Amino acid sequence: MDAKQKSILIKNGFVCSSKETNIQDIYIDSGLIQKIGLNLDVESDIVIDAKGLYIIPGGIDPQVHFREPGLTHKEDIRSGSRSAVAGGITTFFEMPNTTPATITRKLLEEKNIIASKTSVANYSFFLGATHDNINEIKKIKTNCGLKIFMGSSTGDLLVDSDKALDQIFKECNKVIAIHSEDEEILKQTAANGIGESFIDHPNARPVKAAVTSTVKAIELALKYQKRLHILHLSTAEEVEIIRKHKNSGLITAETTPQHLLLHAPDIYEKMGSYGQMNPPIRTKRHQTELWKGILDGTIECIATDHAPHSKEEKKLPYGKAPSGMPGVETSMPLMLNQVSEGRIKIEQVVKWMCENPVKVYNIKNKGYIQKGYDADITVIDMNKTKIIKGSEMQSKCGWSAFEGQKITGCPITTIVNGNIVYDKGQIFDSINGKEVQFND
């Protein structure tokens, strides 16, 4: 298949939004959705017979770590974006804890330049907050937002000063996305010797640390009337806190497939360091409330926190093995498998992984199958079954916390800006994604 041909007709697919699914044809030309309807009579370079298949907007993963620059033995923008499109994700937002950390507009632009040459998916990059880069924070305009590590995690980005946090919330005019763990509580826990093995990881980074940080951030967002997005939500308590503030219109949150589908202590007993991430995978009590939160709209979207590390790094003992796991290639298949198991509907997957990220970040022209929108589309075969194997994925790390799991429901074709970039296992990476545009 020639991925560079610019016109595509998708015929007889089940076209999905969060509200409904209908059989439609979709005509794509010049990177845009040009027509939608039944039995479209148009000539095209490529015809995709989608009878029996589901057509959804391309997935948007608003939290990934692609490790470039500086840590490219784990991942880079090229390999990460290939992993994304193989999993039906057409757009990603990447985090700033690279080497060097992305804390200036110059470094932000350097990432954009790399992505413009190597990414097969659309992209935007967070600026990272520090105690003293407020002048850079004031001037950001065209990227997805600002990332604050309120507790230390992978890398050396951290803002744990109340004075600095207050100033950042006061001055930042983009979405503020936070890693929500209180650094002082993490230090106290470490000083008390809590956390000597992988199974202790949830106790080493306790619920109190997450809750304390989230409450502080919400107070600052309300004080200055700023948009706050809480990343990778992990606790039942935070779900309830956020639920109480939904009417403000300022507070949004996401969770991950890992937190929804894995639980302690099983994951640590089974996988050790490969089940370790920050904030931790917690017990079933938290998992249950996270599901309630995503189902009732308290939590808007699903992201992956795709954070690959090499097997050699993960083999280190507790305290030295880094936290984080890959996920950008498995997130949509895992959620589609939940559809296959009858737990959720495909329309909900579209809401959480396509439409709501657009609303959270005010993304321009994506997330919906509508005339005039960017032709970012994922074709799904809900009858396709596969076994998750890290060695067969596009990520450099070569492993998955869901290793060996059988799933039903898989992306089979991914279209980015009107170009087929992934089709039945083959990636066409001569075609590059584009920098995401925003409405604000």
Side-chain angles (χ1 to χ4, degrees):
M1 181 180 293
D2 183 354
K4 294 185 179 180
Q5 296 185 48
K6 66 178 182 179
S7 62
I8 302 171
L9 178 62
I10 305 173
K11 294 187 64 65
N12 299 316
F14 295 112
V15 178
C16 301
S17 71
S18 63
K19 296 180 179 179
E20 60 184 1
T21 297
N22 295 306
I23 296 177
Q24 300 278 342
D25 297 346
I26 303 170
Y27 177 62
I28 297 165
D29 194 15
S30 302
L32 301 175
I33 297 169
Q34 302 289 354
K35 295 182 179 181
I36 305 170
L38 287 172
N39 302 315
L40 293 180
D41 184 16
V42 292
E43 292 186 2
S44 63
D45 299 306
I46 299 170
V47 176
I48 298 174
D49 182 1
K51 185 176 181 180
L53 303 176
Y54 288 80
I55 316 300
I56 73 170
I60 299 171
D61 191 339
Q63 190 192 179
V64 303
H65 300 264
F66 285 169
R67 306 301 192 196
E68 189 172 6
L71 301 166
T72 53
H73 67 285
K74 304 173 190 277
E75 196 79 282
D76 57 34
I77 291 170
R78 178 180 181 272
S79 63
S81 70
R82 286 168 64 92
S83 199
V85 299
I89 304 299
T90 58
T91 295
F92 64 84
F93 294 169
E94 205 266 350
M95 290 296 163
N97 53 332
T98 46
T99 304
T102 316
I103 58 174
T104 68
R105 285 170 295 142
K106 181 177 183 294
L107 290 168
L108 200 65
E109 184 53 31
E110 288 176 4
K111 278 191 174 180
N112 279 319
I113 291 170
I114 295 169
S116 71
K117 297 175 181 178
T118 65
S119 179
V120 291
N122 300 309
Y123 52 87
S124 188
F125 298 94
F126 282 92
L127 185 78
T130 72
H131 288 95
D132 55 8
N133 72 335
I134 193 66
N135 288 331
E136 295 285 344
I137 291 170
K138 287 179 181 179
K139 295 175 183 177
I140 56 171
K141 291 182 179 180
T142 59
N143 70 315
C144 48
L146 179 73
K147 170 67 177 289
I148 307 177
F149 285 87
M150 294 177 68
S152 55
S153 189
T154 303
D156 55 6
L157 279 177
L158 174 67
V159 181
D160 58 350
S161 158
D162 286 351
K163 181 179 180 181
L165 286 169
D166 189 274
Q167 186 180 25
I168 289 168
F169 272 84
K170 180 180 179 180
E171 300 290 351
C172 183
N173 291 311
K174 295 288 288 184
V175 176
I176 300 171
I178 64 165
H179 178 113
S180 190
E181 292 182 289
D182 183 82
E183 181 66 10
E184 186 60 33
I185 293 174
L186 296 180
K187 287 179 178 178
Q188 290 172 4
T189 304
N192 292 334
I194 299 173
E196 297 181 354
S197 67
F198 294 109
I199 203 167
D200 293 330
H201 192 59
N203 297 321
R205 306 183 78 96
V207 170
K208 183 181 178 182
V211 170
T212 300
S213 176
T214 292
V215 168
K216 181 186 295 184
I218 289 174
E219 288 174 350
L220 287 169
L222 296 175
K223 177 181 178 181
Y224 291 111
Q225 291 294 288
K226 296 299 176 70
R227 272 283 294 111
L228 170 66
H229 185 65
I230 301 162
L231 302 166
H232 42 43
L233 208 67
S234 70
T235 74
E237 287 81 356
E238 287 172 286
V239 174
E240 183 57 30
I241 291 165
I242 293 167
R243 188 177 282 122
K244 292 177 180 178
H245 292 284
K246 294 307 290 185
N247 289 338
S248 72
L250 297 172
I251 315 301
T252 55
E254 67 189 38
T255 193
T256 74
Q258 302 94 289
H259 288 98
L260 290 171
L261 301 175
L262 304 174
H263 60 84
D266 294 25
I267 183 62
Y268 302 104
E269 293 172 345
K270 178 183 176 183
M271 302 200 72
S273 66
Y274 292 96
Q276 177 185 320
M277 65 178 293
N278 301 332
I281 306 296
R282 303 190 191 275
T283 60
K284 284 186 176 181
R285 176 177 76 86
H286 298 286
Q287 185 185 69
T288 297
E289 293 306 311
L290 290 170
W291 269 110
K292 288 180 182 178
I294 192 88
L295 289 168
D296 71 13
T298 301
I299 301 170
E300 276 78 9
C301 54
I302 292 173
T304 63
D305 191 22
H306 173 86
H309 299 284
S310 69
K311 290 181 179 179
E312 289 73 22
E313 291 165 324
K314 278 292 191 178
K315 288 177 181 177
L316 295 170
Y318 187 74
K320 293 184 178 180
S323 291
M325 59 182 68
V328 72
E329 192 167 335
T330 55
S331 60
M332 187 173 289
L334 285 166
M335 298 314 295
L336 293 173
N337 188 59
Q338 295 295 298
V339 175
S340 296
E341 292 183 354
R343 185 170 195 172
I344 57 176
K345 297 179 179 179
I346 195 168
E347 290 84 1
Q348 291 171 303
V349 175
V350 172
K351 178 169 67 174
W352 301 330
M353 301 188 75
C354 308
E355 295 181 5
N356 280 1
V358 168
K359 296 175 182 178
V360 168
Y361 287 96
N362 209 8
I363 302 169
K364 186 176 182 180
N365 234 42
K366 297 187 184 298
Y368 298 84
I369 296 177
Q370 293 183 10
K371 182 179 178 180
Y373 270 57
D374 296 338
D376 296 341
I377 288 174
T378 300
V379 181
I380 291 167
D381 185 347
M382 286 303 301
N383 294 315
K384 182 176 175 60
T385 297
K386 65 181 290 186
I387 304 293
I388 294 176
K389 297 180 181 179
S391 61
E392 297 179 357
M393 293 182 187
Q394 296 295 323
S395 175
K396 287 185 178 184
C397 72
W399 60 273
S400 170
F402 296 92
E403 190 75 30
Q405 181 170 330
K406 184 178 180 180
I407 56 173
T408 301
C410 300
I412 58 170
T413 303
T414 306
I415 299 171
V416 178
N417 302 315
N419 296 303
I420 297 175
V421 296
Y422 172 81
D423 187 59
K424 300 177 181 67
Q426 184 176 359
I427 293 178
F428 304 93
D429 63 355
S430 61
I431 298 170
N432 300 130
K434 296 180 181 179
E435 183 179 355
V436 175
Q437 304 297 308
F438 301 88
N439 288 312
D440 52 350

